[in-house]
Amino acid sequence: MASLKNEEAVETSNHMEKCSLNGEVTNNVTHNGPASERNKLEAVPEFGNEIRKEFMLRPNSVFLNHGSYGSMPRCVHERQVRYLVEMESHPDTWFRYNMYGYMKATIGRVAEFMGIRMEDTFMLQNVTKAANTVLKTFPFHSGDAVLVNSLTYGAVNVAARATTAASLNGAQTLSLDINFPINSEDEVVQKYEDFLKQHPEVKLVIVDHITSPTAVVMPVKRIVHVCHAHGAVVFVDAAHVPGQLRPDIQDIDADFYAGNLHKWVFCPRSAAIIWRNPSRQHAWFRPLVTSAFEHQGLHEAFGYEGTKDDIPYICAANGIEYINRVGGLEKINEYNSTLLYKGVTYLEEKWGTKRLQVPDSMHSLYQCIVALPFIPGFSDFKETPAVTQVFMGKNLELQKLLLDKYDVQVAVVYVGHELMVRVSVSIYNTMDDIIRLADALLALTKTEA
């Protein structure tokens, strides 16, 4: 069986085929034909309505929730299907040989895109699994604690609590409250300093780079520094970072840094990376699933967890290629951030509400939280916050109502006891989407409970 370390592992030429912008897959070769043909191939549709045609979203629907599950362009999907056909044409050839060559090439491409070394980068399905991998392999001792915060992604929050509850050493999960408004990054960093001084039992800290439900960019580098000063290992949940920010991951210096690729990198679900800091290696770090390659190296152990479909991982290279073909991350940043600012300002004016109050440096580029106007039957319904602090029932009912009645998809969340929406934009969105969201919510304010 081939290995991820095997330099002779099969890497067929069609792995790095490009996505054309008319939905076709083209060979990664130089096009020397007439200029008109080259321009047609390389022409980039305008962001908004034109480029939406490259996606498979339902016609006329409003999709302002790219941040939950992403959406991939048709050409990446077609590349995924071609891999599936190749796999089914001869499963043994795929699983014993070809898959490893593809995986090796993809890990190298993803590592380059993220600005990290291939040898420190491992692929898995999602950041929730990455967090579980660290939680469930961490060597807890009697009285140790994991620290999350009130903005931690719900599934990771639950995973931390379930892991420590099952620990035979009496480990526990503690939570740091981060309330709004946030006045400065210093305020957040000081909260960590004060908490860790009072709780020396904290040995593992989980902190989001961009908080999932509330879209707050945390000052992770400074938080990591404080945590290390108090002797804690740090796992950074960067689920929303790849394709949105370009951080210097090594400079952040967390022990582990994990991000999803199926959100803003336009590849199939599910695909993610976990980066292990080469300066802070921990011998206990292993894959969550133990399989045949356990003793053949860490990349082999992560690369083969038993028979499963790794094609979404492999297609991450095609998602990166798509980003480059449409103009690169800087162009996408400019479009999305401009649309988001304009759109959120419009919602504030139409609804008479405000966005979540945080410093400018803590605003996400592609996502923002905006308070809802009073909606009978929803805004007047008081619920007790769950452990996740976000999803408590009525918000999900309202989210489904918006979808069923107006064909508008947006994340509806609680921040404290206040209903808010998280608007997530991508290159296929326009101001018309924002206007339809605004009008749909205003219509609901006029209905009876």
Side-chain angles (χ1 to χ4, degrees), residues 250-272:
Q250 182 67 69
D251 186 57
I252 290 171
D253 199 31
D255 299 76
F256 303 98
Y257 189 97
N260 286 326
L261 302 172
H262 54 255
K263 295 180 185 286
W264 309 105
V265 185
F266 300 116
C267 73
R269 291 162 291 274
S270 300

Side-chain angles (χ1 to χ4, degrees), residues 272-330:
I273 61 161
I274 183 168
W275 173 81
R276 174 193 61 175
N277 192 334
S279 301
R280 298 180 179 276
Q281 295 193 27
H282 301 284
W284 46 264
F285 176 62
R286 306 297 301 174
L288 196 60
V289 175
T290 302
S291 192
F293 284 5
E294 169 68 12
H295 302 296
Q296 297 192 30
L298 200 55
H299 271 99
E300 282 64 35
F302 271 96
Y304 187 80
E305 294 183 320
T307 303
K308 59 183 175 64
D309 182 6
D310 287 340
I311 291 173
Y313 300 173
I314 295 167
C315 286
N318 302 101
I320 293 169
E321 181 62 38
Y322 185 77
I323 288 173
N324 293 333
R325 293 290 302 284
V326 300
L329 196 55
E330 290 72 20

Side-chain angles (χ1 to χ4, degrees), residues 310-351:
D310 287 340
I311 291 173
Y313 300 173
I314 295 167
C315 286
N318 302 101
I320 293 169
E321 181 62 38
Y322 185 77
I323 288 173
N324 293 333
R325 293 290 302 284
V326 300
L329 196 55
E330 290 72 20
K331 181 181 176 182
I332 294 173
N333 283 168
E334 177 66 22
Y335 181 84
N336 287 349
S337 59
T338 300
L339 175 62
L340 184 67
Y341 180 81
K342 183 179 178 182
V344 168
T345 301
Y346 178 85
L347 294 177
E348 289 178 319
E349 292 172 353
K350 292 287 286 187
W351 293 344

Side-chain angles (χ1 to χ4, degrees), residues 15-57:
H15 172 60
M16 297 310 293
E17 287 175 342
K18 292 183 177 180
C19 288
S20 77
L21 296 169
N22 58 12
E24 298 174 352
V25 181
T26 63
N27 290 327
N28 187 18
V29 298
T30 301
H31 292 270
N32 295 314
S36 60
E37 293 182 13
R38 296 199 307 273
N39 291 340
K40 182 178 178 181
L41 177 66
E42 299 297 335
V44 178
E46 288 188 13
F47 288 177
N49 290 328
E50 284 303 309
I51 208 159
R52 178 171 170 136
K53 297 173 186 176
E54 307 299 332
F55 291 79
M56 298 174 287
L57 294 166

